[in-house]
Amino acid sequence: MAQTPVEIARDFRQSNGYEILQGFSDLLQIPNVASDLGNIRKNANYLKEEFERRDVKVELLELPGAPPIVYGELNVPGAERTLIIYVHYDGQPVDPSKWKTTSPWTGQLYSAAIENGGQPIALPKKGTEIDPEWRIYGRSAGDDKAPFPAILAVLDAFKESKVQLTSNLKFFFEGEEEAGSPNLGDFEKAYGNYFDGDIWLVFDGPVHQTGRPLIVYGVRGLAAMDLTIYGANRSLHSGHYGNFAPVPGQMMASLLTSMKHENGEVLIKGFYESTAPISSSDRQAINKLAEYDDEIREQLGITWSEGNNAPFAERLLMPSFTVRGLASGNVDELARNVVPSTASASIGMRLA
């Protein structure tokens, strides 16, 4: 019996894992913060060259001051549909001092997950069996450079085994998703026909807790804001002004706790007004899911979760309010006996 395309791709990965890991490591070594336009362009050029090697027609879509979109087409004679594959090649900003490896841009292979005692190891050579416990570390190794070696390997596998595609493919790789995609609307206006297709497949999301392949028909949008509370016009010595001058950090803590209850309920008036209530059919679908909430809490090292331990899938149907970061003065060895002059918070709100 002839192999299925999935079996062909899997066999190719098992036989060429060493080469796939090497290419992935090379990509991870290129810094990819959206504001770093020089290195962002290096990422774009790398992807352009790699996909052109697989017979994909590639061009960089440009707008002044914006990271380029890497756009590719692979047309199939007689195909009646066009699939658009979306991946973003930029990553979250990174604080290297908090990185567990030597650098966020090393693409370093480890013998296991670091938290399980994994140690740095050399990239495998041809013929080496790939250990599924290995982990490769680098900024965007998961979100969202991981799809690139997978897509490239599938294209190589199909070409080697002469598998004929049945759909036209468009590739749409964005370089500023983690920055909020501020130019995406302008790209659509400038390159409208490039966006045309039958369905968009967004290759960006976590592995399901069951480990099974997953297709999601919607994702949670993001709204964000930054808050700053001002106290005195300069930081003050607490021995002189403590218990007299207002303390921005305490004011910020009070403000934030007024916005959200410790059980997870958002207290801001009207916050839930535009959210559709969870229906009986929603609950029926949730009840059919595998039981994994306790496993998630164990993996995360938490003993409880918001919503009074409501099902994880149910919480995804509600908007969230998250304090993404707090800053006021210094802590640990840098702490000083001062009343800081400001306190800042960054808030992220995921839509239902």
Side-chain angles (χ1 to χ4, degrees):
M1 179 182 292
Q3 285 186 303
T4 67
V6 171
E7 291 169 337
I8 289 171
R10 182 178 295 119
D11 286 350
F12 182 90
R13 174 183 58 79
Q14 291 172 343
S15 300
N16 297 274
Y18 74 100
E19 191 172 9
I20 296 170
L21 283 175
Q22 181 63 68
F24 193 22
S25 178
D26 291 343
L27 179 58
L28 292 175
Q29 291 175 40
I30 310 174
N32 67 331
V33 178
S35 59
D36 182 1
L37 292 178
N39 277 313
I40 276 291
R41 186 165 292 278
K42 290 180 182 179
N43 281 272
N45 288 331
Y46 177 94
L47 293 171
K48 182 176 185 291
E49 293 172 3
E50 289 299 308
F51 277 84
E52 285 177 337
R53 287 176 50 202
R54 277 78 178 182
D55 301 325
V56 178
K57 181 183 177 182
V58 183
E59 62 180 300
L60 300 184
L61 309 186
E62 304 274 9
L63 285 178
I69 287 175
V70 182
Y71 173 83
E73 290 186 1
L74 192 56
N75 294 313
V76 179
E80 297 182 355
R81 65 179 183 181
T82 298
L83 311 180
I84 305 178
I85 295 176
Y86 172 96
V87 188
H88 66 86
Y89 63 87
D90 67 311
Q92 291 272 358
V94 60
D95 181 351
S97 68
K98 296 182 179 180
W99 200 257
K100 291 185 177 181
T101 64
T102 55
S103 165
W105 320 115
T106 56
Q108 176 64 56
L109 187 65
Y110 275 68
S111 58
I114 289 177
E115 61 267 26
N116 294 332
Q119 297 296 316
I121 59 175
L123 290 167
K125 299 183 182 298
K126 185 175 182 179
T128 303
E129 185 175 352
I130 305 302
D131 186 339
E133 293 304 314
W134 288 351
R135 298 290 185 272
I136 192 166
Y137 284 87
R139 174 49 97 214
S140 302
D143 182 9
D144 192 30
K145 285 185 175 179
F148 292 119
I151 296 170
L152 293 170
V154 169
L155 293 176
D156 287 338
F158 284 5
K159 184 176 181 180
E160 179 179 277
S161 298
K162 296 181 173 55
V163 174
Q164 182 63 43
L165 298 177
T166 58
S167 302
N168 297 319
L169 296 180
K170 288 185 177 181
F171 300 96
F172 195 94
F173 304 146
E174 188 189 0
E176 54 182 349
E177 191 270 353
E178 297 291 7
S181 302
N183 293 292
L184 190 57
D186 291 334
F187 273 110
E188 184 178 12
K189 292 176 183 177
Y191 299 96
N193 60 311
Y194 289 74
F195 289 68
D196 293 342
D198 294 288
I199 190 169
W200 283 72
L201 302 174
V202 180
F203 285 23
D204 183 8
V207 176
H208 193 258
Q209 285 73 17
T210 61
R212 295 182 300 186
L214 187 70
I215 296 177
V216 177
Y217 292 94
V219 294
R220 305 169 84 181
L222 174 66
M225 63 179 177
D226 292 326
L227 306 174
T228 300
I229 292 177
Y230 297 91
N233 58 10
R234 65 185 187 278
S235 293
L236 304 172
H237 194 293
S238 61
H240 295 296
Y241 296 101
N243 214 32
F244 174 80
V247 184
Q250 291 174 316
M251 297 163 67
M252 180 64 77
S254 178
L255 174 62
L256 294 176
T257 54
S258 75
M259 295 180 177
K260 184 177 179 181
H261 192 277
E262 62 182 14
N263 68 6
E265 179 188 1
V266 180
L267 304 175
I268 300 170
K269 185 178 179 180
F271 190 81
Y272 296 109
E273 282 186 1
S274 62
T275 302
I278 298 174
S279 67
S280 58
S281 59
D282 291 332
R283 294 196 183 280
Q284 289 177 8
I286 290 171
N287 291 336
K288 291 180 181 179
L289 295 173
E291 293 282 348
Y292 53 78
D293 287 6
D294 288 341
E295 180 182 343
I296 297 175
R297 283 187 280 266
E298 182 178 354
Q299 289 176 350
L300 300 180
I302 58 178
T303 58
W304 59 275
S305 51
E306 292 188 351
N308 297 315
N309 295 322
F312 177 74
E314 180 179 312
R315 298 301 290 169
L316 293 177
L317 300 179
M318 303 294 292
S320 69
F321 181 94
T322 302
V323 179
R324 302 191 299 181
L326 283 170
S328 184
N330 297 295
V331 297
D332 298 329
E333 66 274 8
L334 296 178
R336 298 177 294 151
N337 294 322
V338 300
V339 180
S341 60
T342 64
S344 300
S346 184
I347 307 299
M349 293 164 284
R350 287 289 178 176
L351 313 182

